[in-house]
Amino acid sequence: WKEKPIALVFVRHSGCTFCLGHAFSLREAYPKLQEAGGDVVLVSMDDPAHLHELKLRQQLPFVCLSDSDQQAYRAYQCPRGGIWNVIGPQVWWRGLLSVFRHGLGKPRGDVMQLPSSFVIDRGGIVRLADRSANSAEWTAPDRLAESLRQVAHAPA
């Protein structure tokens, strides 16, 4: 983030249908996020080999980092959910749609971990912190782009 602001996006794992959809949406929005003056770093609790496979399979153009022991998740206070936050009624419809669009894989790591997104400015200060309330919720790429645009054009 010393060169330009970043959207630091924490997903669950590559077996999560919502995470696959989230990664796909970030890939599609990546040019817009770059035009906003920032970049994307995706963090997954997958081990490096599975994350590398996801990056290649999904053709993700941004940096992907493995945090299999979840130190960064804890440092950024990414929430863990209960059973209703992960598979409760509020995620059923989106889950069904997502499985048809992106498939479903084998869960890895902490299945109760919820996603979160942050925008960090060039000084290392978190300017946007979105912590999800359930496994189907993530920060829209347009919101990330707007936040990156504001941060990128603010005085350093």
Side-chain angles (χ1 to χ4, degrees), residues 18-74:
F18 299 122
C19 299
L20 295 173
H22 195 173
F24 180 80
S25 73
L26 289 170
R27 183 190 74 200
E28 296 302 306
Y30 190 59
K32 183 184 215 179
L33 295 165
Q34 288 183 304
E35 287 171 17
D39 211 334
V40 173
V41 175
L42 183 124
V43 180
S44 169
M45 68 178 79
D46 272 324
D47 62 72
H50 282 107
L51 185 57
H52 182 69
E53 180 184 316
L54 172 71
K55 183 174 172 63
L56 293 176
R57 186 177 65 244
Q58 291 284 333
Q59 299 177 359
L60 302 177
F62 39 79
V63 172
C64 296
L65 300 175
S66 172
D67 182 24
S68 54
D69 60 4
Q70 294 177 268
Q71 287 184 19
Y73 287 83
R74 288 188 296 279

Side-chain angles (χ1 to χ4, degrees), residues 9 11-12 15-26 84-104 114-115 117 130-141:
V9 179
V11 296
R12 300 171 69 222
C16 171
T17 187
F18 299 122
C19 299
L20 295 173
H22 195 173
F24 180 80
S25 73
L26 289 170
W84 291 112
N85 303 98
V86 176
I87 61 168
Q90 73 275 21
V91 303
W92 293 348
W93 180 246
R94 281 190 69 187
L96 184 62
L97 293 175
S98 191
V99 166
F100 284 119
R101 289 183 188 137
H102 309 291
L104 183 62
L114 299 178
S117 296
D130 277 351
R131 293 174 177 94
S132 300
N134 63 63
S135 58
E137 181 180 277
W138 67 71
T139 306

